[in-house]
Amino acid sequence: MKDIVERITGGLTTKDRAKILRWISSLPEDEFIAILQDSFNKYHSLKTAYSHVPRRYLQYCGLILAGREQGWDTINGKGYRVAGADQFDDWSHIREMRIANLSRDRSSPTKRKVLSHWGEVVELKNGNIGFRRIAKYLRKYKKINVSASYLHLMWNDIEK
């Protein structure tokens, strides 16, 4: 039966079908009801084409197909449904913003946090305390989760 369900749903694997069901259950109630109603219509059209398949499998496939038609594939980039011009504009805008973020040379949040306490790091290091103990100090008292190797890299970049 697994092969038949995959064939009816357009080659979706078990994991993909589980993702659709999770997505459907996360929708607002009105959209969920619309998909459920559409699944009944899909079931009836599947029933005539696949009369040898048990009813419960056809109902399940109807729900999966209704979810795909409602927009799951567009959200997950499967290309099943054609996106509108607004969606393409949104996607191109998102791509442009990602490229702009890559071109900016911003330091990581962890690096900024450590740099705000760099004076303490220098003082502790000059007091013959190792980077592991300094990292532990920053984790415990400053709530900065940083590794000793990262501190060592920063030390080599800044102090040497």
Side-chain angles (χ1 to χ4, degrees), residues 13 59 75-76 85 104 156:
T13 63
Q59 287 175 335
I75 291 170
N76 288 300
R104 292 185 192 129
N156 288 337

Side-chain angles (χ1 to χ4, degrees), residues 27-73:
L27 292 174
E29 198 171 67
D30 294 340
E31 292 180 34
F32 177 81
I33 291 170
I35 290 174
L36 192 61
Q37 182 61 41
D38 192 34
S39 73
F40 294 131
N41 298 335
K42 299 276 183 221
Y43 161 73
H44 288 295
S45 63
L46 290 173
K47 187 170 66 170
T48 58
Y50 298 96
S51 58
H52 63 285
V53 178
R55 177 180 170 203
R56 62 184 175 165
Y57 292 109
L58 292 178
Q59 287 175 335
Y60 174 70
C61 292
L63 181 62
I64 298 298
L65 291 175
R68 289 188 79 179
E69 190 174 281
Q70 199 69 18
W72 177 80
D73 288 320

Side-chain angles (χ1 to χ4, degrees), residues 5 8 14 17 19 23 31 43 67-68 77 94-95 134-135 137-138 141-142:
V5 170
I8 293 173
T14 306
R17 293 191 302 265
K19 287 179 186 177
W23 176 74
E31 292 180 34
Y43 161 73
R68 289 188 79 179
I94 288 171
R95 271 193 301 276
I134 294 172
Y137 168 81
L138 290 173
Y141 295 109
K142 302 298 180 183

Side-chain angles (χ1 to χ4, degrees), residues 76-115:
N76 288 300
K78 303 290 184 194
Y80 176 78
R81 196 173 78 150
V82 176
D86 294 338
Q87 289 172 322
F88 282 117
D89 290 340
D90 288 343
W91 291 334
S92 62
H93 180 66
I94 288 171
R95 271 193 301 276
E96 290 169 4
M97 288 191 54
R98 286 180 179 168
I99 291 170
N101 285 339
L102 287 175
S103 66
R104 292 185 192 129
D105 189 27
R106 293 186 289 174
S107 61
S108 69
T110 304
K111 187 173 185 177
R112 284 184 296 218
K113 289 177 188 176
V114 171
L115 287 175

